[in-house]
Amino acid sequence: MASDRAAFLTQMVEVLTSTVSFGERLNNMVHLLARHLKVDLALYFALDKTKETLFLNISSQGPIPPHMRVEFPLGQGVVGETAVTRKVRVVHRLQPEALSANAPLEKLHPNFHTLAAFPVADDNFLYGVLVLLDKQDRTFGAAERQSMQLAGLMLAGTLRQAIVQEEAKKRIAELSVLFEVGKALSATVELDELLERIVSTTAKVITARGAALEIIDRATGETRVSSRYGQIPAVCPALKEMFPRPAKTTGPPHFETQSVDADGRTHYCLAVPLTFKGQLQGTLCVYDKFSPNEVYLPFDPENRQLLITMAGLIVNAIENALTFQQVEDLAERNERMVQNLTVLQEISQVLLTTVQEERLLEMILQGLTLEQGLGFDRGVVLMVDEASQTLTGAKGAERAAQPSQAALPAALLSPLPQEVPVADWQIPLRPDQGALALAVLKKRPYHYQEHLKEPGLPAVLPGKLAAREFFVVPLIVKDRATGVILVDNQASGRPLESEPLNVLNMFASQAALVLENAHLYSTIEANNRELLLIRERMLESDRLAALSSLASGMAHEIRNPLVSIGGFARRISKLVEETSPLRGYVEVIQEEVTRLEKLLREILDFTGENLSYYGDHDLVKLIEDTLVLVQRDLDAANIKVVKEFAPLPRLHCDHRQIKQVFYNLFSNACQAMPHGGTLTIRTYPLEKEDGLYEAITVTDTGGGIPMEVLHNIFNPFFSTKDYGTGLGLAIAQRIVSRHYGQIEVNNEMGKGVTFLITLPVAKYCLVKDAGQNAVPASALKAPKGGRR
Amino acid sequence: MKKILVADDEMSIRLLYSEELKEEGYEVYLAANGREALEIVEKIPLDLVILDIKMPEMDGIEALRQIKERRPDLPVLLSTAYGEYRQDFATWASDEYLVKSSDLEDLKAMVKRYLKE
């Protein structure tokens, strides 16, 4: 017997340590027990996963057909009781109370007489119950019971090992799947590529026929990006319907459904939410578990668990990719910004190198159109004309066909490649005059797009500047719009993006500032020039006054002796006989004295003889009268006279003196044009700050006054003529200033000279009995575009 | 015989005027400045005065004013080397303003006109 037992033990160890699978080993054990204990049937009941039922797992009679399910709830029947008591139990048919609950066993072994059950358990766990059935009424000795217990223990150990091994295997499989997933996820940070990898890897590790992934926009809940792999059955619900959106903090951990397609085929889908920090970020879904034959399988709980685990990994990877993309976008934007700012800084540095408006405009247009600058196809600067309340074209340019390769500062200084003529472009500053006028009035930029057809925002561009799309930004200095910059990409048709508008705005504020500076500078310069001129004129008139007072002093001193000399010579001539040679001598004295006296009169008394000549006169008539006096000279020199007379009020003046002025001017003109020319005489009313003036211009075509002579023309002792006293213009000036007027000269070298005489009307003239050509002073207004 | 006063600081002018006027048949009194002229106006019942403007001690303008105070009816002719004051002479209430000339015909004609009656 002992050798029997030893053989059994040896066989048992051999079976349990064999290299076949655990199922096989279990099967062999069941057969071994049946043989060893010489029973008709050995059965193994395994504890199921619920740990509440024991079901028939192995039979010594061969495989159990699938339809045959024999089970005992824990604690019921001999099998159930053994599982609870964990003790060997042997019953006989003679003990009906023990058999009543064992009815299912009858099916397997009808009319058995002896039943032995013993637990397969170790100290901690119960794995199942072994049942031995025999049609004989028999007993089991102590040795046999020991064998049973030993077999139970050893089987338990083996099963435990099997479970541990199974779990370890599963863990390893799971880990390797996760490792695969991890590898796929960390291979890239590009979002699109990442999503592709995720769906393909997920489908592979789950062995699904298809997979899909969707990332939603956190703000709107709308789909942001999605990716698909393999076969995705159309009958399955859409991803966005699987989990409530917008994201809720708590949702179901997974979504599982099956749908039947038109061919009657059932499709399965399993989805998990991708949540980050408790918020739904998207959905990952797999479709139809793969099987070698064309059958679609549902997913098992392990697949589900794996998918949930993967979702955790995936969402982190996606989050990383999204963050990376954001950082990249930000970096790109920053880089562009830095680049733009560098360009702006370089341009503004160059802009600071000049205060000449014209040069600045060129540089600004270069900055706008150069590829190295802001890179627009075309740019135009328009400035506000405060007086007429219009926007007026200042300068425009187009991008060069052959772009300059020079670095920015140098390129800015190069001449404009292609100017766009805009000088005749004027836009009234009214809200109905389009985007450019609005940019000034509202002091804000506009992005005009033809296709938008914004009401109240017509383009209003001249034909040659027409554009489907353009930016217009105001030039603002101290909260005042001084002009606009207009740019477009009409030539190349590139769309205008919104980002350059910001850069353009910054550029415009720089441009506005430098243009304003230039404007102020030129105003100051003009003022300085005028001051200098006034100072020179004052100095000149001082010098003139000093000179003439010296001359007049001397002339007066000479006049008295001349009167005596001449007077006495006349007396002598009366006393001398006509035949006396003395008579001739005395007459010479008389004549010479008369000549000298005439000269003195010209110097001192050119103003005529009598006050009664002051009166209200028609200036045009005075001009006509004077023209008669010089008609012969005009004809002789073949000079054409052009008269442009506007009606004027009567002027209170000494008509003889005023005629003298015209006479002098006309005579000078004749002398300047000995070989013919045109004498243009214009009269017009002129509104000045201090009242109404009558203006007369006398223009010749005599080639102008040489520069070295120009500043001397009002000097009483200066003359370019070989005859005369040179007093012509000095006298004219003196007469005009006596009438509280001004005489100015505008010299155009190579062309001719224009004298402008302005005589005040309102203050000194009483407008009465206005004649044919005279109108009341109050009815007159300065003509538009009148000279300053 | 009509009495005429000639006031001029230039001796040669006084001499010329007095010779010419005497020749015309007038009784001529002479003064070298305004003050002397006033003294004569007070003593002598004059018919006409010819005044130079620029004279020492008292100029012709002041003398004119004072003569017209005493004898508003007495014609006073200004005879001067200064043509440019002609504009102002009306305000000085003189009867005539003559610029001196070696040709005395204008002067004599004017005197004759004033002394017709």
Side-chain angles (χ1 to χ4, degrees):
Chain A
M1 271 339 246
S3 65
D4 257 13
R5 212 165 153 228
F8 171 65
L9 279 176
T10 312
Q11 278 176 343
M12 192 159 65
V13 170
E14 273 173 6
V15 166
L16 292 179
T17 55
S18 67
T19 55
V20 298
S21 72
F22 282 99
E24 202 64 29
R25 283 185 237 176
L26 197 57
N27 198 35
N28 291 343
M29 263 303 288
V30 172
H31 282 89
L32 180 63
L33 266 174
R35 273 203 314 273
H36 175 67
L37 294 172
K38 296 180 180 74
V39 288
D40 294 335
L41 185 61
L43 301 167
Y44 175 67
F45 285 85
L47 188 64
D48 77 356
K49 275 181 187 155
T50 65
K51 307 217 169 181
E52 281 167 6
T53 312
L54 291 148
F55 67 94
L56 179 61
N57 190 224
I58 295 165
S59 162
S60 61
Q61 278 181 339
I64 300 151
H67 63 271
M68 204 170 94
R69 178 133 181 114
V70 181
E71 55 181 35
F72 292 92
L74 216 56
Q76 279 188 27
V78 179
V79 177
E81 282 167 20
T82 307
V84 175
T85 58
R86 298 197 187 180
K87 279 192 178 134
V88 177
R89 179 110 183 263
V90 179
V91 289
H92 300 273
R93 189 167 286 279
L94 298 177
Q95 300 163 299
E97 86 282 354
L99 288 176
S100 62
N102 298 324
L105 293 174
E106 294 275 352
K107 274 197 232 170
L108 299 169
H109 198 292
N111 305 316
F112 67 88
H113 273 82
T114 309
L115 183 153
F118 57 93
V120 178
D122 56 21
D123 294 343
N124 297 315
F125 297 105
L126 174 89
Y127 300 96
V129 175
L130 270 166
V131 176
L132 306 174
L133 296 168
D134 204 293
K135 52 187 170 213
Q136 304 294 323
D137 225 353
R138 56 175 288 183
T139 53
F140 293 99
E144 282 165 330
R145 283 178 183 245
Q146 228 175 5
S147 289
M148 285 182 207
Q149 264 176 344
L150 188 64
L153 267 172
M154 292 207 45
L155 253 180
T158 305
L159 284 171
R160 167 132 204 85
Q161 199 190 342
I163 288 170
V164 168
Q165 203 172 345
E166 197 60 34
E167 270 180 10
K169 245 188 186 166
K170 247 199 295 190
R171 248 332 112 68
I172 287 167
E174 204 170 277
L175 278 176
S176 70
V177 164
L178 292 181
F179 174 73
E180 276 301 309
V181 173
K183 215 164 67 178
L185 295 182
S186 58
T188 180
V189 284
E190 292 295 329
L191 190 63
D192 291 345
E193 201 186 330
L194 179 70
L195 296 189
E196 273 174 32
R197 276 168 187 264
I198 288 172
V199 286
S200 60
T201 309
T202 306
K204 269 180 222 154
V205 300
I206 303 280
T207 62
R209 287 177 183 272
L213 172 68
E214 209 176 73
I215 303 294
I216 61 170
D217 188 290
R218 267 168 255 187
T220 62
E222 292 301 310
T223 303
R224 192 172 146 187
V225 278
S226 61
S227 190
R228 296 150 78 90
Y229 173 83
Q231 302 163 13
I232 293 163
V235 288
C236 290
L239 289 185
K240 60 180 169 198
E241 288 161 13
M242 294 176 175
F243 299 100
R245 296 181 186 181
K248 273 185 183 166
T249 45
T250 53
H254 63 89
F255 173 91
E256 213 167 349
T257 184
Q258 57 191 73
S259 328
V260 181
D261 67 12
D263 301 334
R265 207 176 254 198
T266 305
H267 292 279
Y268 302 90
C269 93
L270 167 67
V272 289
L274 298 172
T275 49
F276 187 73
K277 290 178 183 164
Q279 273 210 321
L280 185 72
Q281 310 287 334
T283 308
L284 176 63
C285 187
V286 286
Y287 302 90
D288 297 329
K289 197 166 162 69
F290 183 83
S291 76
N293 50 29
E294 274 303 293
V295 177
Y296 298 155
L297 297 179
F299 295 99
D300 58 35
E302 277 164 25
N303 296 144
R304 199 161 65 206
Q305 195 49 52
L306 183 59
L307 202 59
I308 291 171
T309 311
M310 279 170 65
L313 282 176
I314 287 166
V315 80
N316 272 315
I318 289 173
E319 205 54 41
N320 276 347
L322 284 174
T323 311
F324 182 80
Q325 206 177 39
Q326 273 176 354
V327 168
E328 230 178 15
D329 282 357
L330 210 64
E332 199 184 326
R333 272 225 301 279
N334 275 347
E335 200 182 332
R336 264 214 301 275
M337 206 42 150
V338 166
Q339 205 181 338
N340 283 334
L341 286 176
T342 311
V343 166
L344 281 183
Q345 197 229 359
E346 277 180 340
I347 294 176
S348 55
Q349 264 177 359
V350 176
L351 289 182
L352 290 175
T353 58
T354 183
V355 287
Q356 275 182 282
E357 214 165 333
E358 200 63 17
R359 287 290 297 133
L360 276 176
L361 283 170
E362 282 180 14
M363 289 179 191
I364 286 167
L365 290 172
Q366 285 282 32
L368 289 171
T369 55
L370 275 171
E371 191 60 56
Q372 305 91 307
L374 301 191
F376 293 104
D377 286 357
R378 182 161 59 180
V380 177
V381 178
L382 295 97
M383 300 304 288
V384 170
D385 184 67
E386 292 285 351
S388 61
Q389 280 298 296
T390 52
L391 254 180
T392 307
K395 216 173 190 51
E398 273 173 355
R399 187 215 286 259
Q402 300 285 317
S404 153
Q405 298 299 319
L408 192 50
L412 279 178
L413 294 170
S414 57
L416 281 180
Q418 202 170 343
E419 275 207 39
V420 176
V422 293
D424 55 348
W425 187 15
Q426 289 197 328
I427 304 170
L429 285 178
R430 291 200 309 268
D432 61 343
Q433 292 297 307
L436 276 69
L438 280 174
V440 171
L441 294 171
K442 304 233 177 198
K443 289 185 271 192
R444 54 155 281 203
Y446 283 92
H447 180 181
Y448 173 83
Q449 286 164 286
E450 194 178 58
H451 66 274
L452 290 184
K453 294 194 169 46
E454 284 181 64
L457 190 69
V460 191
L461 298 175
K464 62 190 174 187
L465 282 169
R468 285 183 300 278
E469 187 182 17
F470 62 80
F471 284 143
V472 55
V473 291
L475 297 168
I476 293 179
V477 180
K478 290 185 206 144
D479 209 31
R480 190 166 52 85
T482 57
V484 296
I485 287 177
L486 168 74
V487 290
D488 64 46
N489 280 343
Q490 184 68 10
S492 65
R494 286 174 296 153
L496 294 169
E497 286 156 34
S498 58
E499 199 166 341
L501 186 57
N502 295 333
V503 181
L504 188 63
N505 247 336
M506 284 195 265
F507 177 78
S509 54
Q510 270 288 337
L513 213 62
V514 291
L515 281 174
E516 179 73 0
N517 278 349
H519 180 67
L520 288 178
Y521 184 83
S522 72
T523 310
I524 289 172
E525 215 175 34
N527 284 347
N528 271 348
R529 259 202 310 276
E530 196 157 318
L531 272 178
L532 210 68
L533 212 68
I534 289 170
R535 201 174 130 244
E536 241 169 47
R537 219 184 273 172
M538 281 174 72
L539 275 177
E540 198 179 321
S541 64
D542 275 0
R543 199 163 56 235
L544 201 65
L547 260 176
S548 64
S549 107
L550 181 69
S552 115
M554 272 173 62
H556 287 124
E557 289 310 312
I558 290 165
R559 183 170 260 172
N560 272 332
L562 271 181
V563 169
S564 303
I565 293 166
F568 282 113
R570 277 172 209 276
R571 286 195 62 73
I572 291 166
S573 95
K574 276 186 224 165
L575 301 174
V576 175
E577 280 179 25
E578 277 191 40
T579 52
S580 164
L582 284 178
R583 184 70 176 254
Y585 304 157
V586 172
E587 276 174 3
V588 169
I589 296 173
Q590 271 186 60
E591 278 165 22
E592 287 304 305
V593 167
T594 305
R595 206 167 68 83
L596 283 172
E597 280 187 322
K598 192 173 164 239
L599 187 63
L600 278 182
R601 254 204 311 282
E602 203 178 325
I603 296 170
L604 297 173
D605 314 331
F606 51 79
T607 56
E609 295 289 319
N610 199 306
L611 236 198
S612 61
Y613 297 124
Y614 262 86
D616 292 343
H617 296 283
D618 179 359
L619 210 57
V620 170
K621 187 173 181 301
L622 298 186
I623 292 170
E624 296 280 18
D625 289 353
T626 313
L627 277 172
V628 172
L629 300 178
V630 293
Q631 196 57 54
R632 265 180 57 198
D633 296 337
L634 291 168
D635 291 344
N638 194 21
I639 293 167
K640 190 184 150 204
V641 180
V642 176
K643 302 172 198 171
E644 295 172 15
F645 297 151
L648 294 172
R650 286 180 164 249
L651 184 74
H652 188 70
C653 64
D654 181 333
H655 72 274
R656 283 186 46 166
Q657 291 186 32
I658 295 297
K659 272 160 82 177
Q660 177 80 55
V661 172
F662 294 145
Y663 181 82
N664 290 0
L665 292 179
F666 297 164
S667 299
N668 283 346
C670 287
Q671 279 150 20
M673 300 184 283
H675 309 299
T678 307
L679 174 66
T680 308
I681 308 161
R682 239 183 113 216
T683 67
Y684 54 92
L686 180 62
E687 188 96 48
K688 286 200 197 179
E689 276 175 16
D690 55 351
L692 186 67
Y693 283 72
E694 295 189 3
I696 307 98
T697 62
V698 177
T699 309
D700 66 45
T701 55
I705 306 169
M707 281 311 283
E708 63 272 21
V709 174
L710 190 62
H711 62 277
N712 259 325
I713 56 166
F714 294 114
N715 182 337
F717 298 104
F718 183 84
S719 175
T720 57
K721 304 169 208 158
D722 298 332
Y723 47 89
T725 58
L727 285 174
L729 286 173
I731 289 167
Q733 190 185 38
R734 207 157 155 185
I735 292 171
V736 169
S737 72
R738 231 180 246 177
H739 284 77
Y740 306 98
Q742 268 186 319
I743 182 165
E744 287 165 44
V745 60
N746 182 18
N747 187 38
E748 273 189 83
M749 266 324 288
K751 282 189 169 178
V753 185
T754 297
F755 287 95
L756 167 66
I757 298 164
T758 50
L759 296 165
V761 182
K763 272 188 195 166
Y764 308 103
C765 174
L766 299 169
V767 181
K768 50 189 181 187
D769 29 79
Q772 252 185 317
N773 292 325
V775 292
S778 57
L780 291 167
K781 281 233 166 97
K784 256 209 153 155
R787 301 184 184 194
R788 287 170 187 223
Chain B
M1 198 183 285
K2 300 283 184 185
K3 299 179 177 64
I4 296 176
L5 168 64
V6 174
D8 200 305
D9 58 336
E10 294 264 348
M11 195 271 284
S12 61
I13 297 287
R14 287 202 299 275
L15 183 61
L16 178 67
Y17 278 24
S18 87
E19 292 289 303
E20 290 281 324
L21 289 169
K22 274 182 199 160
E23 213 172 71
E24 295 292 311
Y26 304 117
E27 191 178 336
V28 180
Y29 296 82
L30 297 172
N33 58 48
R35 193 183 42 73
E36 282 181 21
L38 270 178
E39 281 170 15
I40 293 166
V41 166
E42 285 187 348
K43 278 187 212 148
I44 314 290
L46 294 167
D47 295 296
L48 189 135
V49 180
I50 297 171
L51 273 179
D52 185 17
I53 292 178
K54 207 180 141 212
M55 289 185 294
E57 289 194 46
M58 183 190 287
D59 67 18
I61 306 299
E62 180 58 21
L64 170 70
R65 196 180 60 77
Q66 295 203 25
I67 290 168
K68 286 287 180 185
E69 265 178 24
R70 289 168 175 77
R71 295 270 315 269
D73 60 310
L74 182 62
V76 180
L77 277 55
L78 288 173
S79 159
T80 173
Y82 292 85
E84 57 269 41
Y85 295 144
R86 185 185 285 110
Q87 274 189 35
D88 309 317
F89 99 101
T91 63
W92 299 334
S94 86
D95 296 280
E96 287 293 347
Y97 187 100
L98 276 170
V99 179
K100 284 179 186 170
S101 166
S102 60
D103 183 354
L104 295 186
E105 294 313 308
D106 280 0
L107 176 75
K108 287 190 285 191
M110 208 170 275
V111 169
K112 199 178 237 166
R113 210 163 66 232
Y114 274 94
L115 298 179
K116 232 189 316 199
E117 285 99 48

